[in-house]
Amino acid sequence: MSIERELSKRSGSKCELCGAEENLKVYQVLPTQKGGIDEAILACNTCIDQIENPDNVDLNHWRCLNDSMWNENVPVQVVAWRMLSRLRSAGWPQELLDMMYLDEDTLAWAQATGEGEDDENKLVHRDSNGVVLQHGDSVVLIKDLKVKGSSMVAKQGTAVRNIRLDHENAEYIEGKVDGQQIVIITQYVKKI
């Protein structure tokens, strides 16, 4: 069964955030580990556009989170928490956020994109050209790098796909090179 069909069955063919019944598609909730129904929601174009483009947010559209924040499905809870965190300065979203409970793992997933942090405390990972790096991006090494604790040398021009961001240090990312998970300093990579 396809992910879209499974999500349609789970949601009753409605947007899992606002309840719309038209223009629905699968939205992967980043960062993903395995993909699949446990890391995705069925959402309408309006919700997806406003999630991905914060400048397009219509505050009243998100009053739907009053209901969807109680959804039993974890990916829906994560997106609801992220949107409430983004909109909390409007007042009512903060009240809903105060009522919402997420277990430790779910909260860690919700916070993984940096949503909910104050802008001054948010870590921003940038490549050698100053381009912002996101979880799941692909980068290329711009210099040969010796891997500490091993005889391996990661060669210039090597592509590193599906990077992970270090949430404690803006200069570190993680990725696999030749099948080995390594930590890479951001000044030695360029986003592809």
Side-chain angles (χ1 to χ4, degrees):
M1 186 181 279
S2 77
I3 291 177
E4 189 167 2
R5 241 181 305 172
E6 287 182 63
L7 288 172
S8 281
K9 186 176 177 184
R10 177 176 91 184
S11 68
S13 297
K14 293 181 180 177
C15 174
E16 292 184 276
L17 297 170
C18 73
E21 297 180 6
E22 295 181 5
N23 301 317
L24 302 176
K25 60 184 178 181
V26 176
Y27 178 74
Q28 288 292 327
V29 182
L30 297 176
T32 57
Q33 300 287 323
K34 302 171 248 166
I37 190 169
D38 294 331
E39 296 180 345
I41 63 172
L42 191 65
C44 66
N45 284 341
T46 304
C47 286
I48 292 172
D49 177 57
Q50 292 186 38
I51 290 168
E52 293 178 344
N53 302 301
D55 296 339
N56 296 346
V57 170
D58 171 13
L59 188 61
N60 284 325
H61 175 80
W62 293 104
R63 292 201 181 266
C64 61
L65 295 177
N66 192 29
D67 295 324
S68 56
M69 68 186 244
W70 303 111
N71 191 297
E72 63 186 18
N73 298 297
V74 173
V76 179
Q77 295 171 9
V78 167
V79 174
W81 187 92
R82 288 178 182 172
M83 289 308 299
L84 288 170
S85 294
R86 184 182 297 173
L87 304 171
R88 69 178 172 216
S89 63
W92 64 264
Q94 182 63 54
E95 292 171 17
L96 294 179
L97 208 49
D98 291 342
M99 286 190 279
M100 194 172 188
Y101 170 79
L102 300 178
D103 65 53
E104 221 174 274
D105 292 339
T106 305
L107 183 59
W109 183 17
Q111 293 173 331
T113 59
E115 204 71 63
E117 293 180 16
D118 295 332
D119 286 340
E120 63 208 37
N121 297 335
K122 193 182 283 191
L123 289 177
V124 178
H125 294 73
R126 296 183 185 273
D127 73 0
S128 59
N129 295 327
V131 176
V132 175
L133 297 171
Q134 301 289 332
H135 181 89
D137 282 346
S138 295
V139 296
V140 66
L141 301 178
I142 61 169
K143 148 182 190 171
D144 287 354
L145 301 174
K146 292 181 181 174
V147 178
K148 285 186 179 178
S150 120
S151 60
M152 181 180 142
V153 175
K155 296 287 186 189
Q156 177 179 348
T158 301
V160 182
R161 306 202 185 288
N162 198 18
I163 63 167
R164 295 185 185 276
L165 306 178
D166 184 317
H167 294 290
E168 295 176 7
N169 190 329
E171 292 184 15
Y172 294 154
I173 58 172
E174 294 180 21
K176 280 192 175 182
V177 175
D178 296 332
Q180 185 176 345
Q181 187 79 10
I182 64 171
V183 174
I184 306 167
I185 298 174
T186 56
Q187 70 187 30
Y188 300 125
V189 300
K190 182 172 73 173
K191 186 174 176 178
I192 300 177

